Amino acid sequence: IPMLGLENAMSREELFEFDQRVKKFLGLEGEVAYYCEPKFDGLAVELVYENGLLALGSTRGDGMVGEEITANLRTIRSIPLSLSGDFPSLLEARGEVVMLLEDFQRLNELYEERGLPHFANPRNAAAGSVRQLDSKITAERKLTFFAYGLGRFEGALPSSQSEAISLLADLGFLVSSLRQKALGIGAVADYCADMEKRRETLPFEIDGCVIKVDEISLQERLGEKSRSPRWAVAYKFKPVQALTRIRDILPSVGRTGAITPLAVLDAVQVGGVTVSRATLHNMDELMRKGVLIGDWVVIQRAGDVIPEVVAPLAERRDGLERPFIMPDRCPVCGSGVIKPEGEVVYRCEGLDCPAQIKGRLKNFVSRRAMDIDGFGIKLIEQLVDSGKVRDMAEIFRLDAATLASLERMGPKSAQNLVEAIEKSKGRPLSRFLNALGIRHVGEATAEAVAGRFLTLERVMGAKREELLEIDDVGPQVAASIVDFFEDEKNRASIEKMLSLGVSPKEEQTGAGGGALSGKVFVLTGSLSSMSRDEAKESLKRAGAKVASSVSSKTDYVVAGEEPGSKLKEANSLGVTVLDEEAFLKILSSSRETQQSPAQEEAPLASTPKKQGTLF
Ligand code: IVH
C-alpha cells in the first residue's frame, strides 16, 4: 500500500476549506469528527510484523519503494521487536523516526568533542542515523519512533483512526499523547493553535499538525488523489524567523538559466537549523524589499523550503551598505544576460552554460525522476567540468573506465554506477517526463500526462487541445509541453537517449483491472446518496471513464433528480439510462469483483487497554 503524502493547509482559512471539501464530497451537512496529532519532523518508516515479530523495516522512499533498514531500526528502543497482546498475523505499522531534542544536543556535543561537524537539525540527524551502513552507529545515536498509522493488516479492522492508534499502543508502540479527537473544524483549529503555542516546549520538533477524518468508512469513501488522501491534511505552522546580516549577494544560475539573487548570511539558527544562505527570489522582489548588501535582515524558514529574506532593518544601517547589481554577463559561462519581455527573471542566454547543464542533470538523475543511485552533485560537477557529459543523453554513454578515471571513484563504485544507469533506462514514462525538466511540468503533471498518452511517442505528438483535456493542465502548461517537444534540440536529445537504450515503460494506469474498465459514463442530475464528485471517483476506481457529454461512445447515462438535457440526448442516441438504484447496484457489484481500495491506514478493532505513551 503506497505511503502517501499530505496536502498542506497553510492557514486557519485553508483548514476550513479542507473541511468544506470533505463535506461537499460526502454530501454531509453536520460536523465531521476529526482525529488530530502533531506532525513530527523526522523520517517516515514502515515496519512489517509477521506473527508478531519484526520482519522488515524500510524508509518511505518515493512512497512505493524505500530502502530496507531493518538492522538499524532494530536498535531503536521504542520499536518493539515482538508485539504484545492480541496481535494479528500480519501488521504493518507506519510512523516517524525522530531524534528528541536532548538526544540531538548530546550527539552534537559528542561530535564537537571528537572534532566532527555538527548536524544542522534533529531531522537530518535522525535521517542520517537510520540510513547508516553500520547499525552500531545507529545504536549509538538515540532515536525514537512514534507510530501514527497502519498499512496492511490481517484481522478485524477498527472503525476509526483513534481506535487504530489505541490498538497500536496496545500492541506496544509509542503513540503521541498529544493526540485528540475534535468534533468540527472549529475544534480542530483550536487544537492547531494550541499546538503552535506549545511547540517550543515539546521534547521533539514538530512542524505542524496532521488532521484526519476519524471514521474509517468515511476515509474509504473519500479515497485519495494521486499522492495524497482526501481525508487528511497537514496544518503547517507559521515559518520561524531570525535576524542576521547579509554579507554578500550572489547571482545564482539555475537549470532553466534563471539568475536569482542569493544572499550569503552570517550563519544563524532558525528553528533549530543553521542557515547561511537565503533566496531573494528575483530582482523585482529584491527591489521591492529594498535589500542592500550589508543589511541586517529578518529571514524565515518554512519547513523544507529554502529560507528567504523577509525584510531589511533599515534603522540598523551604517551607510556602508551597497546595492546588488545584476551582472550583464552570466557569472558561470560569460554569455549575455537577458530579461525576457513580461518576465521578472533574468536569464543566461548560453545554451551550453555549465550551470544550466548541471542543474538539468541534477534534476534528471534525482530520485523522483530517473533515480540513478549514486549520481550525486559532486559527480555531476566533475563530469560537466571535464567535458565528459554535456547533456542528459551522454549519461547513457558513460562506461566504467571513463567513470573510474574520475577523482575519488574506485572501480567498484564505477561499476555500481554503470549498473544504476543501466537500470534507469526502463523507468516509467512519468518519471522520464519529470526528468526532462520541461518548464511547469512537475511530478503530478508528468504522471497525469503519462497516464493519458501511455507512450513517449504519443506524448511527443500530443496536440495542445488534447493536453488541455487533462485535469490540472492549463494553457501555460500545455504550451510549455508542446514547445518543448517541438524544439529540434530536445527532440535530438530524446532520440539519442532512445538509441542508447532508454525505453520509458508504459504506465500501469490501475484502471485497466477494474470491473467497469473501459466503460464510459455520463452523470446528469443529482443523486441522493452521494455527491457528484464521489460518484465520479467511485466510477474511476472501478476503472470506468466519466465523460462530460453524451455521444455514441457513451455506455451509460446515470440520471439522478432533475436530470438535464443529457437525459434527452441519451434517449435519442439509444444509450442505456440508469436511475440511482441501478447505478448503486452496478457500483456495488463492481466492488465485489475487485480488491478493496488501497488506503494508507487500514482499520482495526480493539478495546484500549494500556497506552504505550511517554509524552
Ligand atoms: S499520517 C496519509 N501522521 O508527514 C497520511 N504523517 O506528508 C500519511 N508525518 O511522510 C501520514 N507526523 O512522515 C502522519 N502524525 C503524523 C505525522 C506524519 C509526520 C509525516 C510523514 C509523511 C508526511 C506526510
Side-chain angles (χ1 to χ4, degrees):
I1 302 175
M3 290 180 80
L4 297 174
L6 290 169
E7 220 166 84
N8 289 337
M10 306 304 286
S11 61
R12 198 181 148 90
E13 289 68 44
E14 288 185 20
L15 265 183
F16 279 78
E17 284 163 23
F18 162 71
D19 181 57
Q20 285 302 319
R21 289 198 296 276
V22 167
K23 285 183 181 157
K24 178 165 175 260
F25 192 97
L26 295 171
L28 287 181
E29 310 240 304
E31 299 282 34
V32 178
Y34 289 104
Y35 169 86
C36 317
E37 67 175 45
K39 185 165 190 294
F40 303 102
D41 204 4
L43 183 84
V45 302
E46 180 179 79
L47 307 168
V48 184
Y49 288 84
E50 286 167 5
N51 300 315
L53 298 177
L54 176 60
L56 189 97
S58 65
T59 62
R60 173 181 170 202
D62 66 1
M64 296 298 287
V65 180
E67 279 174 74
E68 199 260 40
I69 47 165
T70 320
N72 291 347
L73 292 174
R74 279 179 188 282
T75 69
I76 299 178
R77 297 233 315 263
S78 42
I79 293 184
L81 297 176
S82 57
L83 300 177
S84 24
D86 202 3
F87 55 79
S89 57
L90 176 75
L91 168 102
E92 285 175 0
R94 292 169 172 190
E96 200 89 349
V97 171
V98 300
M99 192 177 279
L100 302 183
L101 288 169
E102 61 172 321
D103 295 324
F104 172 67
Q105 270 145 19
R106 205 172 301 135
L107 179 69
N108 266 348
E109 278 161 22
L110 186 75
Y111 269 48
E112 186 150 335
E113 278 166 27
R114 294 187 190 166
L116 296 168
H118 277 219
F119 287 96
N121 57 53
R123 184 190 23 178
N124 285 1
S129 305
V130 288
R131 300 174 68 193
Q132 278 293 327
L133 287 178
D134 181 354
S135 38
K136 278 200 214 104
I137 300 181
T138 314
E140 216 180 79
R141 303 194 184 160
K142 242 188 118 211
L143 297 166
T144 303
F145 175 77
F146 285 99
Y148 57 58
L150 293 166
R152 287 183 302 164
F153 181 84
E154 255 155 46
L157 305 172
S159 61
S160 67
Q161 181 68 32
S162 24
E163 275 180 27
I165 299 299
S166 301
L167 179 91
L168 281 165
D170 289 347
L171 294 171
F173 291 96
L174 175 62
V175 299
S176 178
S177 65
L178 300 166
R179 66 190 190 280
Q180 200 170 300
K181 265 176 83 167
L183 185 61
I185 201 69
V188 169
D190 291 347
Y191 173 89
C192 293
D194 182 46
M195 280 303 140
E196 193 155 4
K197 269 196 224 121
R198 290 169 63 183
R199 155 183 216 193
E200 306 280 330
T201 67
L202 301 178
F204 42 79
E205 287 212 322
I206 64 174
D207 59 349
C209 299
V210 175
I211 314 302
K212 297 175 181 176
V213 170
D214 195 40
E215 236 177 89
I216 304 286
S217 60
L218 295 183
Q219 290 186 4
E220 277 174 356
R221 280 175 59 191
L222 285 154
E224 56 243 11
K225 296 188 274 187
S226 63
R227 352 207 100 259
S228 56
R230 283 193 196 84
W231 43 264
V233 75
Y235 171 80
K236 296 303 272 286
F237 294 153
K238 299 277 159 314
V240 265
Q241 300 192 327
L243 270 186
T244 187
R245 205 161 172 193
I246 298 191
R247 266 196 235 160
D248 201 358
I249 299 179
L250 301 175
S252 148
V253 191
R255 75 176 150 97
T256 60
I259 305 186
T260 47
L262 182 74
V264 182
L265 311 167
D266 281 340
V268 63
Q269 287 278 316
V270 196
V273 179
T274 313
V275 168
S276 57
R277 296 196 171 217
T279 178
L280 282 150
H281 300 294
N282 56 55
M283 272 317 264
D284 281 16
E285 278 280 302
L286 183 149
M287 302 297 268
R288 195 175 58 73
K289 289 175 180 162
V291 174
L292 300 174
I293 299 171
D295 263 342
W296 279 90
V297 285
V298 178
I299 59 161
Q300 69 179 21
R301 189 177 69 92
D304 254 343
V305 201
I306 312 167
E308 63 170 354
V309 176
V310 183
L313 299 176
E315 65 281 9
R316 289 217 190 170
R317 284 184 181 151
D318 58 12
L320 295 174
E321 296 76 13
R322 57 201 164 84
F324 165 76
I325 296 159
M326 182 58 83
D328 53 11
R329 297 263 141 210
C330 170
V332 178
C333 73
S335 301
V337 170
I338 50 156
K339 185 172 182 244
E341 267 299 306
E343 283 191 29
V344 289
V345 290
Y346 285 76
R347 279 181 202 286
C348 157
E349 280 189 302
L351 290 174
D352 300 317
C353 174
Q356 292 184 47
I357 299 176
K358 287 174 191 170
R360 283 199 294 269
L361 292 179
K362 193 170 152 212
N363 174 65
F364 188 78
V365 301
S366 66
R367 206 172 66 188
R368 307 244 152 146
M370 296 301 269
D371 192 14
I372 308 184
D373 210 22
F375 217 108
I377 185 69
K378 290 263 153 27
L379 176 66
I380 292 175
E381 284 183 344
Q382 286 187 66
L383 289 169
V384 175
D385 292 343
S386 64
K388 291 193 170 70
V389 168
R390 284 159 306 173
D391 69 11
M392 312 177 206
E394 287 183 348
I395 290 178
F396 300 101
R397 283 230 175 96
L398 290 169
D399 54 26
T402 313
L403 286 166
S405 73
L406 298 170
E407 245 177 76
R408 286 185 299 159
M409 176 77 70
K412 180 82 185 109
S413 320
Q415 191 49 44
N416 287 345
L417 254 173
V418 169
E419 277 160 27
I421 294 170
E422 194 56 38
K423 202 166 133 197
S424 78
K425 290 180 177 173
R427 293 275 178 255
L429 180 60
S430 58
R431 299 271 195 124
F432 182 74
L433 293 177
N434 191 24
L436 291 175
I438 305 170
R439 277 180 80 191
H440 310 299
V441 176
E443 215 178 342
T445 310
E447 266 168 27
V449 172
R452 166 70 201 265
F453 295 101
L454 300 176
T455 68
L456 176 60
E457 203 186 345
R458 286 177 56 201
V459 175
M460 288 177 74
K463 301 253 172 352
R464 199 184 109 89
E465 297 70 45
E466 295 173 303
L467 288 160
L468 285 172
E469 281 171 20
I470 302 173
D471 284 349
D472 305 334
V473 172
Q476 196 186 29
V477 178
S480 174
I481 297 174
V482 171
D483 288 351
F484 184 91
F485 290 113
E486 269 174 5
D487 185 294
E488 276 310 314
K489 235 184 131 176
N490 292 335
R491 296 188 82 93
S493 171
I494 293 172
E495 289 302 329
K496 195 153 110 188
M497 286 193 259
L498 299 181
S499 72
L500 290 167
V502 177
S503 63
K505 273 186 295 188
E506 282 189 23
E507 293 294 290
Q508 291 279 323
T509 55
L516 298 177
S517 169
K519 297 277 181 251
V520 180
F521 282 72
V522 171
L523 304 169
T524 180
S526 58
L527 301 171
S528 60
S529 57
M530 63 181 90
S531 69
R532 169 85 55 118
D533 282 344
E534 186 173 353
K536 268 193 198 169
E537 187 60 25
S538 310
L539 283 167
K540 284 193 196 158
R541 271 186 225 166
K545 284 201 186 124
V546 183
S548 52
S549 57
V550 184
S551 73
S552 57
K553 290 187 194 143
T554 312
D555 293 295
Y556 299 101
V557 167
V558 179
E561 288 202 10
E562 296 179 35
S565 59
K566 291 173 193 165
L567 180 58
K568 281 196 200 107
E569 283 161 43
N571 286 328
S572 69
L573 287 167
V575 174
T576 312
V577 175
L578 305 172
D579 62 12
E580 181 159 353
E581 199 182 329
F583 170 62
L584 292 176
K585 251 193 205 144
I586 286 198
L587 265 189
S588 70
S589 64
S590 79
R591 277 195 200 114
E592 278 154 26
T593 53
Q594 90 190 23
Q595 287 199 326
S596 67
Q599 66 168 92
E600 163 74 16
E601 255 106 351
L604 323 165
S606 88
T607 31
K609 283 171 249 153
K610 66 176 190 323
Q611 306 279 313
T613 309
L614 290 185
F615 303 105

PDB file of all heavy atoms in Angstrom, residues 156-182:
ATOM      1  N   ALA A 156      -9.516  -8.220  12.292  1.00  0.00           N
ATOM      2  CA  ALA A 156     -10.711  -7.383  12.355  1.00  0.00           C
ATOM      3  C   ALA A 156     -10.300  -5.912  12.388  1.00  0.00           C
ATOM      4  O   ALA A 156      -9.434  -5.525  13.158  1.00  0.00           O
ATOM      5  CB  ALA A 156     -11.509  -7.735  13.602  1.00  0.00           C
ATOM      6  N   LEU A 157     -10.921  -5.145  11.511  1.00  0.00           N
ATOM      7  CA  LEU A 157     -10.494  -3.758  11.359  1.00  0.00           C
ATOM      8  C   LEU A 157     -11.224  -2.821  12.333  1.00  0.00           C
ATOM      9  O   LEU A 157     -12.427  -2.962  12.534  1.00  0.00           O
ATOM     10  CB  LEU A 157     -10.779  -3.325   9.919  1.00  0.00           C
ATOM     11  CG  LEU A 157     -10.145  -4.227   8.863  1.00  0.00           C
ATOM     12  CD1 LEU A 157     -10.634  -3.856   7.467  1.00  0.00           C
ATOM     13  CD2 LEU A 157      -8.632  -4.147   8.920  1.00  0.00           C
ATOM     14  N   PRO A 158     -10.526  -1.870  12.921  1.00  0.00           N
ATOM     15  CA  PRO A 158     -11.211  -0.915  13.784  1.00  0.00           C
ATOM     16  C   PRO A 158     -12.002   0.059  12.929  1.00  0.00           C
ATOM     17  O   PRO A 158     -11.776   0.146  11.727  1.00  0.00           O
ATOM     18  CB  PRO A 158     -10.077  -0.196  14.507  1.00  0.00           C
ATOM     19  CG  PRO A 158      -8.924  -0.311  13.619  1.00  0.00           C
ATOM     20  CD  PRO A 158      -9.101  -1.561  12.816  1.00  0.00           C
ATOM     21  N   SER A 159     -12.901   0.798  13.552  1.00  0.00           N
ATOM     22  CA  SER A 159     -13.779   1.636  12.743  1.00  0.00           C
ATOM     23  C   SER A 159     -13.319   3.086  12.696  1.00  0.00           C
ATOM     24  O   SER A 159     -13.910   3.885  12.005  1.00  0.00           O
ATOM     25  CB  SER A 159     -15.196   1.545  13.285  1.00  0.00           C
ATOM     26  OG  SER A 159     -15.183   2.026  14.607  1.00  0.00           O
ATOM     27  N   SER A 160     -12.290   3.429  13.471  1.00  0.00           N
ATOM     28  CA  SER A 160     -11.843   4.821  13.421  1.00  0.00           C
ATOM     29  C   SER A 160     -10.330   4.908  13.559  1.00  0.00           C
ATOM     30  O   SER A 160      -9.671   3.977  14.024  1.00  0.00           O
ATOM     31  CB  SER A 160     -12.494   5.635  14.537  1.00  0.00           C
ATOM     32  OG  SER A 160     -12.009   5.183  15.782  1.00  0.00           O
ATOM     33  N   GLN A 161      -9.814   6.082  13.170  1.00  0.00           N
ATOM     34  CA  GLN A 161      -8.394   6.358  13.314  1.00  0.00           C
ATOM     35  C   GLN A 161      -7.999   6.297  14.782  1.00  0.00           C
ATOM     36  O   GLN A 161      -6.966   5.731  15.139  1.00  0.00           O
ATOM     37  CB  GLN A 161      -8.109   7.760  12.748  1.00  0.00           C
ATOM     38  CG  GLN A 161      -6.678   8.182  12.812  1.00  0.00           C
ATOM     39  CD  GLN A 161      -5.793   7.368  11.896  1.00  0.00           C
ATOM     40  OE1 GLN A 161      -6.230   6.923  10.826  1.00  0.00           O
ATOM     41  NE2 GLN A 161      -4.569   7.152  12.316  1.00  0.00           N
ATOM     42  N   SER A 162      -8.831   6.887  15.638  1.00  0.00           N
ATOM     43  CA  SER A 162      -8.463   6.911  17.060  1.00  0.00           C
ATOM     44  C   SER A 162      -8.380   5.493  17.622  1.00  0.00           C
ATOM     45  O   SER A 162      -7.497   5.189  18.418  1.00  0.00           O
ATOM     46  CB  SER A 162      -9.409   7.791  17.881  1.00  0.00           C
ATOM     47  OG  SER A 162     -10.650   7.927  17.281  1.00  0.00           O
ATOM     48  N   GLU A 163      -9.282   4.622  17.168  1.00  0.00           N
ATOM     49  CA  GLU A 163      -9.197   3.219  17.621  1.00  0.00           C
ATOM     50  C   GLU A 163      -7.934   2.548  17.091  1.00  0.00           C
ATOM     51  O   GLU A 163      -7.296   1.758  17.783  1.00  0.00           O
ATOM     52  CB  GLU A 163     -10.401   2.416  17.109  1.00  0.00           C
ATOM     53  CG  GLU A 163     -11.608   2.527  17.989  1.00  0.00           C
ATOM     54  CD  GLU A 163     -12.768   1.711  17.416  1.00  0.00           C
ATOM     55  OE1 GLU A 163     -12.529   0.716  16.690  1.00  0.00           O
ATOM     56  OE2 GLU A 163     -13.915   2.092  17.703  1.00  0.00           O
ATOM     57  N   ALA A 164      -7.588   2.873  15.851  1.00  0.00           N
ATOM     58  CA  ALA A 164      -6.380   2.270  15.252  1.00  0.00           C
ATOM     59  C   ALA A 164      -5.152   2.655  16.070  1.00  0.00           C
ATOM     60  O   ALA A 164      -4.270   1.821  16.307  1.00  0.00           O
ATOM     61  CB  ALA A 164      -6.227   2.714  13.797  1.00  0.00           C
ATOM     62  N   ILE A 165      -5.116   3.918  16.513  1.00  0.00           N
ATOM     63  CA  ILE A 165      -3.954   4.375  17.288  1.00  0.00           C
ATOM     64  C   ILE A 165      -3.929   3.693  18.660  1.00  0.00           C
ATOM     65  O   ILE A 165      -2.878   3.267  19.137  1.00  0.00           O
ATOM     66  CB  ILE A 165      -3.959   5.914  17.421  1.00  0.00           C
ATOM     67  CG1 ILE A 165      -3.880   6.566  16.040  1.00  0.00           C
ATOM     68  CG2 ILE A 165      -2.815   6.388  18.311  1.00  0.00           C
ATOM     69  CD1 ILE A 165      -2.637   6.242  15.232  1.00  0.00           C
ATOM     70  N   SER A 166      -5.107   3.571  19.276  1.00  0.00           N
ATOM     71  CA  SER A 166      -5.161   2.872  20.567  1.00  0.00           C
ATOM     72  C   SER A 166      -4.677   1.438  20.411  1.00  0.00           C
ATOM     73  O   SER A 166      -3.981   0.896  21.266  1.00  0.00           O
ATOM     74  CB  SER A 166      -6.584   2.832  21.119  1.00  0.00           C
ATOM     75  OG  SER A 166      -7.044   4.136  21.264  1.00  0.00           O
ATOM     76  N   LEU A 167      -5.057   0.834  19.285  1.00  0.00           N
ATOM     77  CA  LEU A 167      -4.633  -0.540  19.035  1.00  0.00           C
ATOM     78  C   LEU A 167      -3.106  -0.634  18.919  1.00  0.00           C
ATOM     79  O   LEU A 167      -2.476  -1.519  19.501  1.00  0.00           O
ATOM     80  CB  LEU A 167      -5.275  -1.059  17.755  1.00  0.00           C
ATOM     81  CG  LEU A 167      -4.845  -2.477  17.441  1.00  0.00           C
ATOM     82  CD1 LEU A 167      -5.801  -3.471  18.053  1.00  0.00           C
ATOM     83  CD2 LEU A 167      -4.707  -2.712  15.968  1.00  0.00           C
ATOM     84  N   LEU A 168      -2.531   0.330  18.206  1.00  0.00           N
ATOM     85  CA  LEU A 168      -1.066   0.345  18.074  1.00  0.00           C
ATOM     86  C   LEU A 168      -0.423   0.470  19.452  1.00  0.00           C
ATOM     87  O   LEU A 168       0.581  -0.182  19.745  1.00  0.00           O
ATOM     88  CB  LEU A 168      -0.626   1.506  17.169  1.00  0.00           C
ATOM     89  CG  LEU A 168      -0.782   1.239  15.673  1.00  0.00           C
ATOM     90  CD1 LEU A 168      -0.683   2.528  14.868  1.00  0.00           C
ATOM     91  CD2 LEU A 168       0.272   0.251  15.191  1.00  0.00           C
ATOM     92  N   ALA A 169      -1.020   1.305  20.294  1.00  0.00           N
ATOM     93  CA  ALA A 169      -0.484   1.464  21.651  1.00  0.00           C
ATOM     94  C   ALA A 169      -0.575   0.135  22.399  1.00  0.00           C
ATOM     95  O   ALA A 169       0.371  -0.290  23.070  1.00  0.00           O
ATOM     96  CB  ALA A 169      -1.241   2.558  22.390  1.00  0.00           C
ATOM     97  N   ASP A 170      -1.709  -0.557  22.233  1.00  0.00           N
ATOM     98  CA  ASP A 170      -1.891  -1.857  22.901  1.00  0.00           C
ATOM     99  C   ASP A 170      -0.857  -2.881  22.455  1.00  0.00           C
ATOM    100  O   ASP A 170      -0.459  -3.752  23.207  1.00  0.00           O
ATOM    101  CB  ASP A 170      -3.276  -2.449  22.563  1.00  0.00           C
ATOM    102  CG  ASP A 170      -4.380  -1.677  23.235  1.00  0.00           C
ATOM    103  OD1 ASP A 170      -4.061  -0.872  24.131  1.00  0.00           O
ATOM    104  OD2 ASP A 170      -5.542  -1.859  22.843  1.00  0.00           O
ATOM    105  N   LEU A 171      -0.468  -2.769  21.197  1.00  0.00           N
ATOM    106  CA  LEU A 171       0.480  -3.753  20.669  1.00  0.00           C
ATOM    107  C   LEU A 171       1.912  -3.441  21.091  1.00  0.00           C
ATOM    108  O   LEU A 171       2.826  -4.191  20.804  1.00  0.00           O
ATOM    109  CB  LEU A 171       0.388  -3.804  19.140  1.00  0.00           C
ATOM    110  CG  LEU A 171      -0.943  -4.324  18.591  1.00  0.00           C
ATOM    111  CD1 LEU A 171      -1.013  -4.123  17.088  1.00  0.00           C
ATOM    112  CD2 LEU A 171      -1.147  -5.791  18.942  1.00  0.00           C
ATOM    113  N   GLY A 172       2.094  -2.294  21.766  1.00  0.00           N
ATOM    114  CA  GLY A 172       3.417  -1.978  22.301  1.00  0.00           C
ATOM    115  C   GLY A 172       4.122  -0.815  21.635  1.00  0.00           C
ATOM    116  O   GLY A 172       5.293  -0.570  21.919  1.00  0.00           O
ATOM    117  N   PHE A 173       3.427  -0.102  20.750  1.00  0.00           N
ATOM    118  CA  PHE A 173       4.068   1.040  20.087  1.00  0.00           C
ATOM    119  C   PHE A 173       3.909   2.310  20.904  1.00  0.00           C
ATOM    120  O   PHE A 173       2.936   2.456  21.672  1.00  0.00           O
ATOM    121  CB  PHE A 173       3.458   1.270  18.700  1.00  0.00           C
ATOM    122  CG  PHE A 173       3.788   0.191  17.725  1.00  0.00           C
ATOM    123  CD1 PHE A 173       2.895  -0.855  17.501  1.00  0.00           C
ATOM    124  CD2 PHE A 173       4.998   0.199  17.050  1.00  0.00           C
ATOM    125  CE1 PHE A 173       3.199  -1.866  16.610  1.00  0.00           C
ATOM    126  CE2 PHE A 173       5.311  -0.809  16.158  1.00  0.00           C
ATOM    127  CZ  PHE A 173       4.414  -1.847  15.941  1.00  0.00           C
ATOM    128  N   LEU A 174       4.840   3.199  20.707  1.00  0.00           N
ATOM    129  CA  LEU A 174       4.747   4.522  21.299  1.00  0.00           C
ATOM    130  C   LEU A 174       3.885   5.365  20.361  1.00  0.00           C
ATOM    131  O   LEU A 174       4.141   5.414  19.159  1.00  0.00           O
ATOM    132  CB  LEU A 174       6.160   5.098  21.383  1.00  0.00           C
ATOM    133  CG  LEU A 174       6.326   6.520  21.866  1.00  0.00           C
ATOM    134  CD1 LEU A 174       5.826   6.636  23.293  1.00  0.00           C
ATOM    135  CD2 LEU A 174       7.798   6.914  21.785  1.00  0.00           C
ATOM    136  N   VAL A 175       2.827   5.952  20.923  1.00  0.00           N
ATOM    137  CA  VAL A 175       1.993   6.851  20.101  1.00  0.00           C
ATOM    138  C   VAL A 175       1.940   8.204  20.807  1.00  0.00           C
ATOM    139  O   VAL A 175       2.273   8.293  21.989  1.00  0.00           O
ATOM    140  CB  VAL A 175       0.567   6.286  19.884  1.00  0.00           C
ATOM    141  CG1 VAL A 175       0.608   4.964  19.156  1.00  0.00           C
ATOM    142  CG2 VAL A 175      -0.181   6.160  21.197  1.00  0.00           C
ATOM    143  N   SER A 176       1.520   9.232  20.100  1.00  0.00           N
ATOM    144  CA  SER A 176       1.583  10.570  20.711  1.00  0.00           C
ATOM    145  C   SER A 176       0.489  10.776  21.753  1.00  0.00           C
ATOM    146  O   SER A 176      -0.680  10.522  21.494  1.00  0.00           O
ATOM    147  CB  SER A 176       1.463  11.643  19.644  1.00  0.00           C
ATOM    148  OG  SER A 176       1.481  12.898  20.271  1.00  0.00           O
ATOM    149  N   SER A 177       0.880  11.271  22.922  1.00  0.00           N
ATOM    150  CA  SER A 177      -0.120  11.585  23.947  1.00  0.00           C
ATOM    151  C   SER A 177      -0.783  12.923  23.629  1.00  0.00           C
ATOM    152  O   SER A 177      -1.713  13.331  24.299  1.00  0.00           O
ATOM    153  CB  SER A 177       0.535  11.657  25.319  1.00  0.00           C
ATOM    154  OG  SER A 177       1.434  12.740  25.318  1.00  0.00           O
ATOM    155  N   LEU A 178      -0.301  13.596  22.595  1.00  0.00           N
ATOM    156  CA  LEU A 178      -0.897  14.887  22.229  1.00  0.00           C
ATOM    157  C   LEU A 178      -2.039  14.680  21.246  1.00  0.00           C
ATOM    158  O   LEU A 178      -2.599  15.620  20.721  1.00  0.00           O
ATOM    159  CB  LEU A 178       0.172  15.788  21.610  1.00  0.00           C
ATOM    160  CG  LEU A 178       1.355  16.090  22.532  1.00  0.00           C
ATOM    161  CD1 LEU A 178       2.512  16.677  21.759  1.00  0.00           C
ATOM    162  CD2 LEU A 178       0.924  17.024  23.647  1.00  0.00           C
ATOM    163  N   ARG A 179      -2.371  13.407  20.964  1.00  0.00           N
ATOM    164  CA  ARG A 179      -3.450  13.135  20.015  1.00  0.00           C
ATOM    165  C   ARG A 179      -4.782  13.508  20.643  1.00  0.00           C
ATOM    166  O   ARG A 179      -4.939  13.447  21.863  1.00  0.00           O
ATOM    167  CB  ARG A 179      -3.444  11.671  19.609  1.00  0.00           C
ATOM    168  CG  ARG A 179      -3.782  10.702  20.738  1.00  0.00           C
ATOM    169  CD  ARG A 179      -3.503   9.276  20.268  1.00  0.00           C
ATOM    170  NE  ARG A 179      -4.019   8.275  21.187  1.00  0.00           N
ATOM    171  CZ  ARG A 179      -3.396   7.912  22.299  1.00  0.00           C
ATOM    172  NH1 ARG A 179      -2.276   8.526  22.677  1.00  0.00           N
ATOM    173  NH2 ARG A 179      -3.919   6.971  23.065  1.00  0.00           N
ATOM    174  N   GLN A 180      -5.714  13.885  19.792  1.00  0.00           N
ATOM    175  CA  GLN A 180      -7.010  14.320  20.310  1.00  0.00           C
ATOM    176  C   GLN A 180      -8.080  14.174  19.243  1.00  0.00           C
ATOM    177  O   GLN A 180      -7.808  14.391  18.070  1.00  0.00           O
ATOM    178  CB  GLN A 180      -6.901  15.802  20.693  1.00  0.00           C
ATOM    179  CG  GLN A 180      -7.966  16.252  21.654  1.00  0.00           C
ATOM    180  CD  GLN A 180      -7.640  17.657  22.156  1.00  0.00           C
ATOM    181  OE1 GLN A 180      -6.594  17.894  22.752  1.00  0.00           O
ATOM    182  NE2 GLN A 180      -8.524  18.585  21.869  1.00  0.00           N
ATOM    183  N   LYS A 181      -9.304  13.847  19.679  1.00  0.00           N
ATOM    184  CA  LYS A 181     -10.421  13.856  18.738  1.00  0.00           C
ATOM    185  C   LYS A 181     -11.052  15.237  18.794  1.00  0.00           C
ATOM    186  O   LYS A 181     -11.086  15.852  19.863  1.00  0.00           O
ATOM    187  CB  LYS A 181     -11.447  12.795  19.126  1.00  0.00           C
ATOM    188  CG  LYS A 181     -11.253  11.494  18.376  1.00  0.00           C
ATOM    189  CD  LYS A 181     -12.209  10.428  18.838  1.00  0.00           C
ATOM    190  CE  LYS A 181     -13.555  10.550  18.160  1.00  0.00           C
ATOM    191  NZ  LYS A 181     -14.358   9.321  18.383  1.00  0.00           N
ATOM    192  N   ALA A 182     -11.521  15.735  17.672  1.00  0.00           N
ATOM    193  CA  ALA A 182     -12.132  17.066  17.664  1.00  0.00           C
ATOM    194  C   ALA A 182     -13.380  17.010  16.808  1.00  0.00           C
ATOM    195  O   ALA A 182     -13.329  16.540  15.661  1.00  0.00           O
ATOM    196  CB  ALA A 182     -11.151  18.085  17.103  1.00  0.00           C
TER     197      ALA A 182
END
